[in-house]
Amino acid sequence: VGAFDKELREELWKNQWTADLKSRGISISDGSDPMDVLSDEGRNSTMISEGLPSDRISLENGAIVNNCLRWPILIDPQMQGIKWLKKKEKDNLDIIQLSQKHWLKTLGNAITNGRSVLIENIGNDLDPTLSTVLSRSVFRRGNVMYLRLGEEE
């Protein structure tokens, strides 16, 4: 939903998703708003204090980033979301570019240590090495979870 403008988001929610929920027998109040589930006043205030703009679309995007199960990809020409993420994750963030030397080692160390990673200036094509990370292709050996990253686990 992230890349959609206000009108398209409203169309999806009001005309498609709401109808789909009702057709599946899931009760939903008239006038329900997904933001009531994804965020609240306190979380919104925190995101704003971390540098996210206070407009509805920015807050929706922030709520999506905070609640998504997959890694978010931000298309951010004004750098507002990037600025917010850098402030939000300032003590737990590694920033890499795929053109840097040893980016894969930095990424592996960040994953091992539970740090957030911001990959800047990706372009149109992703390095195939990232596919296991982006798809969260973890596997278990005994009681330990592994992720194959390049040639390493």
Side-chain angles (χ1 to χ4, degrees):
V1 207
F4 301 140
D5 63 13
K6 180 183 181 209
E7 290 77 24
L8 188 51
R9 289 180 189 203
E10 285 182 8
E11 163 68 22
L12 285 170
W13 173 245
K14 291 179 180 173
N15 298 328
Q16 293 183 28
W17 295 343
T18 301
D20 182 58
L21 290 171
K22 289 180 179 177
S23 74
R24 295 171 188 255
I26 300 170
S27 60
I28 184 168
S29 303
D30 288 335
S32 292
D33 184 352
M35 280 295 286
D36 294 340
V37 175
L38 295 174
S39 193
D40 58 32
E41 295 276 332
R43 289 183 189 139
N44 291 347
S45 295
T46 299
M47 290 188 290
I48 292 167
S49 72
E50 292 168 337
L52 191 68
S54 60
D55 62 280
R56 170 79 185 207
I57 292 290
S58 295
L59 291 173
E60 286 178 0
N61 289 342
I64 291 167
V65 167
N66 284 329
N67 288 283
C68 64
L69 296 177
R70 294 203 174 253
W71 317 119
I73 296 176
L74 302 179
I75 301 168
D76 191 15
Q78 295 175 332
M79 303 295 286
Q80 294 172 325
I82 299 298
K83 177 183 165 190
W84 168 66
L85 278 174
K86 286 179 177 179
K87 189 169 182 183
K88 175 182 177 1
E89 296 290 330
K90 64 182 172 213
D91 297 326
N92 189 43
L93 182 66
D94 291 330
I95 301 171
I96 62 175
Q97 292 185 8
L98 301 182
S99 59
Q100 292 174 324
K101 284 186 175 182
H102 310 295
W103 69 266
L104 190 57
K105 184 176 182 176
T106 303
L107 179 62
N109 287 337
I111 291 170
T112 300
N113 295 309
R115 295 180 55 79
S116 297
V117 177
L118 176 63
I119 305 174
E120 293 185 316
N121 302 321
I122 288 182
N124 292 333
D125 297 315
L126 292 175
D127 188 298
T129 310
L130 292 172
S131 64
T132 57
V133 175
L134 295 174
S135 64
R136 293 188 177 199
S137 298
V138 296
F139 60 94
R140 183 183 298 270
R141 255 195 218 137
N143 290 333
V144 180
M145 301 292 285
Y146 290 91
L147 172 77
R148 184 172 302 281
L149 183 61
E151 299 296 319
E152 297 183 28
E153 292 180 355

